[in-house]
Amino acid sequence: MPKRISGFIRYLSAILLFFMASQSLTAQGNRISGRVLTSDDNKPLAGVSVQLKGTGTGTVTGDDGTFSLQARVGDTIVFSIVGYDNIESPASQNMSILMNPVATALSDVVVVGYGTQRRRDLTGSVSSVSGRDISSLPVPNVGEALQGRAAGVQIVGSGTPGSNVTIRVRGTGTINNSEPLLVVDGVPTDIPLNNINPDDIASIEVLKDASAAAIYGSRGANGVVLITTRRGTSGRNTLEFKTFAGVQKATDMVDLLTASQFASLHNEMMVNNGQTPNPAFANPNSLGNGTDWLGAMFGTAPMQSYTLSYGGGNGKSNYYVSGNIFDQEGIVLNTGYKRYTVQFNSDTRVFDWLKFGNNLSLSHDIKSSGSYDIRSAMSALPTQSIFNPDGTYAGPVGQPSWVGDVANPVGKATLNKNTIKGYNVLGNVYGELTLMPGLRFKTTAGIQAAFWDTRYWAPKYDWDPIPQPNSYLAQGYNKSLTWLWDNYFTWEKRFNDHNLTVLAGSSAQANRYDGMNGSIQQFANDVTQQLSNGTLLPTIAGTANEWALLSLMGRVNYAYQDKYLLTATVRRDGSSRFGNANRYGTFPSASAAWRISQEDFFHSNLINDLKLRVGYGVTGNQNIGNYSFASVLQTVQYNFNGTPVTAIVPQMLPNPGIRWEKVEQANIGLDAALFNNRINVTVDGYIKKYERHAGSDVGTHFNGLFRYCCSQHQPWQGTEPWR
């Protein structure tokens, strides 16, 4: 028996040794290695993503450019890194890969709505601004950073701290809201641009013509602004701290009269009018300069921003997180804006066929101001002082024709407090499934939650000319929740010289807004600034409204030899803002491009790339209010024979025939890359025709309805960026 056991053990040991040896040889045969270098100077390239094509298996190159990967000889390996062209190469032992730097912006990938495209393959009019260009500017919000960087896009800012900019894409054409649709990381939103940290932005694309914007259908009439936030880079962990500080000051101030100059002119005016001059102005020269009200209202204001971010990843996941603090004082007395933001983005490939990710932005901002009035500051007399001898605020005392009747603008701007506090959540989570080679399905659930509180406090005062005997407090609370659910398939197929991409999907979005506000006057003590502590003229009001949008969309991109390009798009929207007869609208578009520079007859050392584009499409506008098709009723009270009576009256007449605003737009453009791709020139010409629906707010005092009219824009625009 012991001999049998001993023999069995030797037999088993031999089998195990053979198995381990075979596994070792197999493992050695299934692992490849190599090195990645730059093609221009043969230096090692670190942080290159090395992926086994079609799988989640991958690694990154080390500081010396080397890598090792589990793969079989002959498998396809994909090498990629930002700033270099992707390379696909068959696997072998001791691989040596040379990566070519991206030489032209034409190879950049741009976001076009529910997908991406190479810039060289665009058939519509799209302007793109990189995050590097935006974050390098010391500006308070993203909108101001866009100024002058996209042809056909006008940016106007009010200068008020925390205010949103006004954006016009190819002019103003609608009788309603002319703002373009804003889409942040795939979520259509109405969040103000000043709530987004410019340092978190990777790119901004502006879809200007109908062929590019038609994928957003009923909301693309005024153009579309697509914002993509930053993500981590595989194989490279990056910790960044960015800050800037500056001062702001009003320039080219209006020159106003001094006290001496005003007194002289006032005396002359009173005499010419047959009135008695002010005895205090008997010797105008003795009054000197007097009070500079504008100088008291304006001042030098500091501005500062701090951003700390961390990003990175590996072959299967990446992440990016950042925090920002921004503080801006206004150049007008007692105004300011503070913003706090947190951004968190991530992507994870769980399996070769399944990928998850999220984008999350949290922000809190505070806007503060007094009751400032620049016109009143310009109207206040320079002969009036700001303060009384006892330090209280002064006011005009005496005959109004002598001393004026403007209440102290500095006092109102200082003592009155107007504050808006906002809390915003904007984000989405997505899942992407690879169903088969070339076919992907993506589902995205998004949310925008906005909460903002308003508070206005005006304390009582006894200044002339009209004292305010009672303090006043008004407060409001607002909530807006928007939900989004997108689902779409993307199929990509390349065969011979043909390249085809097809997108088909649906989108559902809904919103509900709730708001309430109240006010009261006369407080026993101004320290107790609460609505429950007031005793005079209490008011309370509240409102709520909802809207929803359901859409189907499709897009086909076709290219032959990368020379002849065609794009066709269609979207059908159903909106709750219209009556049953006009609830649905269809918005199609088509565009084509011809890359002339790839024709055999084209020879030029000056022009590296030349492309002609043409397109036509129809987009819409649904920003007409939520209940324009229905009768809006209002509760009122009136006095009937001395008795208060409550009644319900129509606030707005119903208009069931109200319909979509449609914009037809034809576009022709030319893209050229010159001097070894150092200069890129884009020239566009377009015609826009607006078909307008009935006015959104038809009051009970109108006898008729404004049906529609048509107008046309026929401008040209161009850009010549230097690289």
Side-chain angles (χ1 to χ4, degrees):
M1 180 68 86
K3 291 183 179 180
R4 291 182 180 179
I5 295 176
S6 178
F8 177 76
I9 292 176
R10 287 196 299 268
Y11 176 73
L12 181 61
S13 298
I15 293 177
L16 290 175
L17 288 173
F18 176 78
F19 178 77
M20 293 173 60
S22 63
Q23 288 296 310
S24 176
L25 291 173
T26 302
Q28 291 176 5
N30 286 350
R31 180 165 291 276
I32 63 169
S33 61
R35 195 179 191 195
V36 179
L37 307 171
T38 58
S39 62
D40 48 358
D41 54 11
N42 284 324
K43 290 185 177 180
L45 191 57
V48 178
S49 174
V50 184
Q51 294 284 327
L52 179 59
K53 187 175 182 179
T55 72
T57 303
T59 185
V60 294
T61 58
D63 294 337
D64 57 354
T66 60
F67 68 92
S68 178
L69 182 68
Q70 194 80 17
R72 294 188 299 269
V73 174
D75 287 344
T76 300
I77 309 298
V78 181
F79 300 85
S80 62
I81 189 173
V82 176
Y84 291 82
D85 291 328
N86 292 351
I87 292 180
E88 294 188 7
S89 176
S92 63
Q93 291 296 335
N94 301 319
M95 299 179 68
S96 181
I97 303 297
L98 296 178
M99 300 201 69
N100 301 313
V102 176
T104 171
L106 296 177
S107 299
D108 291 346
V109 174
V110 298
V111 179
V112 291
Y114 304 101
T116 59
Q117 274 187 286
R118 291 186 306 172
R119 180 178 298 280
R120 62 182 284 115
D121 295 336
L122 292 175
T123 58
S125 181
V126 180
S127 290
S128 182
V129 181
S130 71
R132 293 187 299 271
D133 295 334
I134 294 174
S135 62
S136 63
L137 299 175
V139 293
N141 65 61
V142 178
E144 293 184 16
L146 279 176
Q147 287 180 323
R149 295 182 176 271
V153 180
Q154 298 173 315
I155 308 291
V156 179
S158 68
T160 305
S163 64
N164 203 20
V165 297
T166 298
I167 303 178
R168 293 293 180 266
V169 178
R170 291 185 168 179
T172 301
T174 177
I175 61 175
N176 295 289
N177 189 345
S178 294
E179 290 292 313
L181 173 67
L182 177 63
V183 181
V184 179
D185 289 327
V187 179
T189 176
D190 57 1
I191 188 173
L193 282 176
N194 55 279
N195 284 343
I196 302 175
N197 177 19
D199 292 332
D200 288 335
I201 293 179
S203 68
I204 297 179
E205 277 76 33
V206 183
L207 312 183
K208 296 184 290 187
D209 72 338
S211 64
I215 193 67
Y216 289 101
S218 64
R219 293 181 287 183
N222 300 311
V224 182
V225 177
L226 305 175
I227 295 180
T228 304
T229 56
R230 295 175 58 185
R231 319 197 78 75
T233 302
S234 296
R236 179 175 298 176
N237 294 332
T238 304
L239 179 65
E240 291 183 352
F241 177 72
K242 295 182 179 180
T243 183
F244 72 81
V247 293
Q248 309 156 93
K249 187 175 182 180
T251 59
D252 297 327
M253 297 286 288
V254 178
D255 292 328
L256 301 178
L257 297 176
T258 64
S260 297
Q261 293 170 336
F262 173 78
S264 297
L265 289 177
H266 189 270
N267 289 338
E268 182 179 346
M269 177 190 69
M270 298 296 285
V271 171
N272 291 339
N273 199 40
Q275 296 179 272
T276 303
N278 187 349
F281 296 166
N283 184 9
N285 292 331
S286 64
L287 300 178
N289 291 328
T291 301
D292 180 7
W293 288 101
L294 276 185
M297 289 290 291
F298 287 88
T300 301
M303 176 177 61
Q304 52 194 325
S305 176
Y306 306 93
T307 298
L308 180 64
S309 64
Y310 180 71
N314 51 42
K316 289 190 175 183
S317 63
N318 63 71
Y319 51 86
Y320 172 83
V321 61
S322 75
N324 170 259
I325 298 176
F326 177 77
D327 189 0
Q328 178 188 16
E329 293 185 17
I331 59 176
V332 176
L333 180 65
N334 201 27
T335 60
Y337 176 65
K338 293 182 179 180
R339 181 188 66 214
Y340 309 88
T341 65
V342 174
Q343 184 77 34
F344 177 69
N345 299 338
S346 69
D347 302 283
T348 301
R349 182 169 292 280
V350 183
F351 304 107
D352 296 345
W353 49 272
L354 180 61
K355 180 180 179 182
F356 286 107
N358 77 276
N359 305 276
L360 178 62
S361 176
L362 308 175
S363 66
H364 169 49
D365 63 326
I366 304 172
K367 304 173 187 176
S368 58
S369 67
S371 299
Y372 66 89
D373 187 341
I374 305 303
R375 181 180 292 274
S376 294
M378 298 176 66
S379 301
L381 302 187
T383 53
Q384 175 190 325
S385 61
I386 299 177
F387 298 100
N388 292 314
D390 61 357
T392 59
Y393 287 104
V397 180
Q399 185 175 322
S401 61
W402 286 356
V403 298
D405 58 357
V406 178
N408 194 317
V410 172
K412 285 189 173 182
T414 303
L415 295 183
N416 294 354
K417 305 294 183 183
N418 189 15
T419 305
I420 301 176
K421 295 182 179 181
Y423 308 85
N424 299 280
V425 178
L426 179 66
N428 66 67
V429 293
Y430 74 87
E432 184 177 280
L433 289 82
T434 301
L435 303 176
M436 56 183 293
L439 179 61
R440 302 189 309 275
F441 171 74
K442 186 174 183 179
T443 181
T444 301
I447 184 175
Q448 178 194 343
F451 309 89
W452 64 100
D453 305 335
T454 62
R455 187 179 191 276
Y456 177 71
W457 168 256
K460 59 186 178 183
Y461 61 83
D462 59 356
W463 322 326
D464 289 309
I466 303 176
Q468 177 64 44
N470 296 318
S471 298
Y472 175 82
L473 174 65
Q475 289 183 269
Y477 301 91
N478 305 270
K479 177 182 67 175
S480 177
L481 295 177
T482 305
W483 304 90
L484 172 75
W485 189 27
D486 288 343
N487 298 276
Y488 57 91
F489 293 88
T490 303
W491 180 60
E492 297 176 335
K493 180 67 175 178
R494 188 174 185 91
F495 45 97
N496 299 327
D497 293 330
H498 306 272
N499 194 9
L500 181 66
T501 301
V502 180
L503 178 143
S506 65
S507 177
Q509 192 169 13
N511 168 270
R512 178 179 174 88
Y513 164 79
D514 294 274
M516 62 179 299
N517 59 80
S519 67
I520 202 166
Q521 300 182 39
Q522 196 177 72
F523 294 79
N525 191 314
D526 281 359
V527 175
T528 58
Q529 300 175 15
Q530 299 295 330
L531 291 175
S532 59
N533 294 328
T535 59
L536 182 66
L537 299 178
T539 66
I540 188 170
T543 186
N545 56 70
E546 296 177 316
W547 61 263
L549 188 70
L550 180 63
S551 310
L552 299 174
M553 66 271 191
R555 180 174 59 210
V556 176
N557 296 100
Y558 171 74
Y560 176 68
Q561 294 184 340
D562 287 335
K563 185 191 306 184
Y564 309 107
L565 310 170
L566 176 66
T567 300
T569 303
V570 64
R571 177 162 176 148
R572 183 166 176 81
D573 285 332
S575 174
S576 64
R577 290 174 169 169
F578 300 90
N580 292 331
N582 301 294
R583 181 149 291 175
Y584 295 92
T586 302
F587 305 93
S589 76
S591 58
W594 175 29
R595 179 160 286 106
I596 305 173
S597 56
Q598 289 192 195
E599 296 290 355
D600 294 336
F601 62 79
F602 186 87
H603 303 284
S604 175
N605 295 325
L606 174 66
I607 303 176
N608 307 110
D609 188 85
L610 183 64
K611 183 176 65 176
L612 177 67
R613 295 178 284 104
V614 293
Y616 171 82
V618 179
T619 52
N621 184 8
Q622 62 149 5
N623 294 326
I624 62 168
N626 290 334
Y627 306 108
S628 298
F629 66 91
S631 178
V632 178
L633 305 178
Q634 181 181 17
T635 302
V636 298
Q637 283 190 335
Y638 65 96
N639 187 293
F640 183 76
N641 291 333
T643 303
V645 177
T646 300
I648 297 177
V649 299
Q651 182 183 11
M652 188 175 70
L653 290 176
N655 184 12
I658 195 168
R659 57 191 176 88
W660 299 89
E661 175 180 353
K662 290 188 176 182
V663 178
E664 298 180 46
Q665 187 173 176
N667 191 93
I668 182 170
L670 189 69
D671 300 329
L674 312 175
F675 303 114
N676 197 25
N677 299 314
R678 291 185 177 274
I679 297 180
N680 296 307
V681 179
T682 298
V683 179
D684 278 285
Y686 62 91
I687 298 176
K688 294 179 72 174
K689 181 180 179 181
Y690 301 84
E691 182 182 346
R692 299 170 178 167
H693 51 58
S696 58
D697 294 324
V698 183
T700 57
H701 58 281
F702 286 139
N703 295 322
L705 299 179
F706 173 65
R707 284 298 175 189
Y708 74 93
C709 71
C710 294
S711 63
Q712 290 186 345
H713 287 179
Q714 297 178 323
W716 287 84
Q717 60 185 212
T719 59
E720 296 184 22
W722 171 266
R723 287 179 56 81

